[in-house]
Amino acid sequence: FNRIGKFQFEVIYTPGHKDDLISIYFKEEKILFCGDFIFKGTIGRWDLEDGSFREMKESIKKILQYDDMTIYPGHGMKTTLFAEKSNLEKYLNLNNFNF
């Protein structure tokens, strides 16, 4: 964990949408700021330059190991890991495909 002042957080490498995407997790507050990784009801696009469906799936596997939390995407409505879990698991069962 990292600390800035009274804020303690974990930086989680979550590529897929872009190869350098990170998410910031505040364990005590149960909050994840995830950029364009997870959105309410879907995930970020992986078909753009530096995107990868394989890496997106690895990031999903990683985040599903965490306890429930409130997720704040880079834009759109907030959600929870609990609310997104079954949808995220569906992406894990898909083979690589394009839009």
Side-chain angles (χ1 to χ4, degrees):
F1 280 89
N2 300 286
R3 182 177 292 280
I4 297 176
K6 65 179 183 174
F7 297 103
Q8 186 173 346
F9 58 93
E10 179 181 356
V11 177
I12 307 167
Y13 182 54
T14 52
H17 174 68
K18 300 294 262 176
D19 63 0
D20 61 353
L21 189 68
I22 62 168
S23 295
I24 308 295
Y25 175 55
F26 293 84
K27 184 177 182 177
E28 281 188 37
E29 295 82 0
K30 298 181 182 176
I31 292 174
L32 181 77
F33 294 97
C34 68
D36 289 350
F37 170 33
I38 299 171
F39 295 101
K40 186 171 184 166
T42 191
I43 58 175
R45 292 179 59 179
W46 59 85
D47 63 323
L48 304 171
E49 186 176 345
D50 296 329
S52 165
F53 187 65
R54 181 188 58 76
E55 288 182 341
M56 179 66 80
K57 287 172 68 171
E58 291 303 315
S59 294
I60 290 169
K61 286 179 195 175
K62 187 183 303 182
I63 215 70
L64 285 173
Q65 300 302 310
Y66 286 79
D67 293 332
D68 191 29
M69 63 184 83
T70 301
I71 297 173
Y72 290 93
H75 44 92
M77 297 181 65
K78 71 179 179 179
T79 187
T80 66
L81 185 58
F82 179 80
E84 301 305 321
K85 186 174 181 178
S86 65
N87 188 48
L88 293 172
E89 289 171 341
K90 288 177 188 175
Y91 284 104
L92 296 179
N93 295 318
L94 297 175
N95 293 323
N96 196 5
F97 63 91
N98 296 317
F99 287 97

